[in-house]
Amino acid sequence: MKLSLGRSLLKVLRAQKKISKRIEKAVAKTRGRTTRSASRSAKSILIETAAFGSNPGHLVMKSFVPTTRLPKNPALVVLLHGCHQTPESLDAAAGFSKLAKERGFVLLYPQQKRANNSQNCFNWFRPSAVARDRGEVRSIKQMVEHICERHRIDRSRIFVAGLSAGGAMAGALVANYPSLFAGAAIIAGMPFGSARDAMSALRAMKSGAAPPPGGWGRPIAEISPEAKAWPAITIWQGMEDRVVKPVNALACVAQWLEVQGISENSGRLEEKPWGRLQSWKVSGKLKVALYSVSNMGHGLPIKKRKSVTALRSADPYVIPVEISAPAEMMRLWGLSRFRI
């Protein structure tokens, strides 16, 4: 019996390894390269903090705090990288630290370890990693608490954004701690509760997950039944994304509309030069928005500039198109340029 169980476990481990390799190939194929060389070449301006709590998810904490012109009680932006990324590669390509300098806010970059996930993905598909006060979501919350105390953060202005696996983890954070955040952006991410392991995650990414019993809002309502208010959620999706199919963005929209009791028919559709914007407001305030970006694959959209080649070499999952997600987030979150 013991020998049989051992063989069965070995088969499972081999299958999981194959799945991880398939995910890696799918992501790498989209842009044709990985970001390892970019990570090595990017000059790091992020500071690592070793001790910030019990850290049950075994993550790394990195941050950027402007040394000049920082308000007494600054805002905080939490950024979650995607698979095959590092905080350094994402920051170098998207320029969030430059925005933090210009606009006077603090950046927090949680980082995954290869010991936790061989592809550097946050484990959004593992229930133990995204359950309240457990695993990776607990580690990130501890980072937020640590940096809030150390830098006197304005707790009414804490925002979170994530790309791909980081986008799915951003959704998990809001699902668990809705009162912690004033706004969130899920970029090429997945609905909360759409997978329970690597195999179901791969299927959902490629084909879209079936709604759970009770609808997409139920997983969030079950984990935060006491929640009365939710931060504004923006969902970003490249229409040519072959890693996370666009149907998953629609599921994300359905999830956040359902949990807030908002009718899908109450939304507004606008055609834009860069694609399509659907938005849902309540009493004039934005609650949910879907940015469907034309001619874009799997990644974070940034505005095209002259130095397109340099931007692509910094991180292939930061994609120059006709709209900038970082700039739009700054606008929606009220993080205007710093005034003396």
Side-chain angles (χ1 to χ4, degrees):
M1 177 65 77
K2 289 183 179 179
L3 182 60
S4 177
L5 287 173
R7 286 175 178 172
S8 298
L9 179 59
L10 184 60
K11 287 181 180 180
V12 171
L13 291 173
R14 285 175 177 170
Q16 289 179 338
K17 187 175 182 180
K18 287 181 180 179
I19 292 166
S20 295
K21 287 183 178 180
R22 286 172 63 190
I23 293 175
E24 181 177 9
K25 287 180 181 179
V27 176
K29 185 178 179 181
T30 304
R31 300 297 298 165
R33 69 181 82 172
T34 65
T35 60
R36 291 178 184 172
S37 59
S39 299
R40 288 195 295 268
S41 62
K43 183 180 178 181
S44 178
I45 58 173
L46 307 180
I47 303 300
E48 183 174 335
T49 300
F52 56 85
S54 60
N55 191 16
H58 308 290
L59 302 179
V60 176
M61 175 180 175
K62 293 182 178 179
S63 60
F64 175 77
V65 182
T67 55
T68 59
R69 303 201 310 172
L70 192 66
K72 182 178 179 181
N73 299 110
L76 172 66
V77 175
V78 182
L79 293 170
L80 301 164
H81 64 80
C83 301
H84 307 284
Q85 286 185 313
T86 65
E88 287 81 6
S89 70
L90 177 57
D91 189 76
F96 282 106
S97 57
K98 181 180 178 182
L99 290 170
K101 286 181 185 177
E102 293 175 349
R103 297 161 191 259
F105 61 86
V106 174
L107 278 174
L108 170 61
Y109 274 108
Q111 181 175 354
Q112 183 59 284
K113 292 181 179 178
R114 287 198 179 276
N116 296 335
N117 185 292
S118 62
Q119 317 307 319
N120 267 12
C121 308
F122 289 104
N123 291 304
W124 59 272
F125 49 83
R126 292 181 182 170
S128 61
V130 297
R132 179 176 291 186
D133 292 336
R134 293 181 62 192
E136 293 177 14
V137 293
R138 176 61 176 165
S139 290
I140 296 170
K141 186 173 186 290
Q142 289 177 343
M143 294 180 197
V144 171
E145 293 296 334
H146 179 85
I147 207 164
C148 280
E149 292 175 7
R150 186 169 182 179
H151 298 288
R152 296 183 297 183
I153 298 297
D154 180 350
R155 288 179 177 267
S156 69
R157 294 196 300 153
I158 301 176
F159 308 94
V160 62
L163 168 62
S164 191
M169 187 57 76
L173 283 166
V174 177
N176 280 281
Y177 310 113
S179 63
L180 186 62
F181 301 102
I186 300 171
I187 305 159
M190 298 291 296
F192 180 71
S194 57
R196 297 189 62 83
D197 51 36
M199 188 174 293
S200 59
L202 183 62
R203 285 198 302 266
M205 288 162 58
K206 286 294 184 182
S207 304
W216 277 117
R218 185 172 179 180
I220 298 178
E222 287 180 342
I223 203 168
S224 295
E226 77 290 347
K228 303 299 181 184
W230 301 88
I233 307 287
T234 60
I235 296 155
W236 297 75
Q237 181 68 47
M239 296 309 293
E240 304 302 321
D241 193 335
R242 292 193 171 95
V243 177
V244 174
K245 288 294 181 69
V247 65
N248 291 297
L250 299 179
C252 284
V253 169
Q255 182 163 73
W256 292 104
L257 289 178
E258 284 181 25
V259 80
Q260 297 182 75
I262 301 171
S263 170
E264 186 175 348
N265 295 330
S266 66
R268 178 186 179 189
L269 174 63
E270 300 174 75
E271 297 295 334
K272 300 286 187 178
W274 46 262
R276 189 166 60 245
L277 172 61
Q278 293 172 272
S279 56
W280 290 263
K281 295 182 178 181
V282 176
S283 300
K285 293 184 178 181
L286 180 68
K287 294 298 181 179
V288 179
L290 172 60
Y291 292 75
S292 301
V293 184
S294 302
N295 304 314
M296 191 183 86
H298 188 67
L300 168 75
I302 59 170
K303 189 75 173 177
K304 285 182 179 178
R305 300 190 185 98
K306 292 181 180 180
S307 56
V308 169
T309 302
L311 287 168
R312 283 180 176 169
S313 66
D315 192 313
Y317 306 112
V318 176
I319 306 174
V321 288
E322 300 300 325
I323 184 174
S324 168
E328 181 70 353
M329 285 187 274
M330 298 299 104
R331 183 185 72 81
L332 292 172
W333 296 344
L335 299 175
S336 57
R337 288 185 179 274
F338 189 85
R339 292 184 177 85
I340 300 176

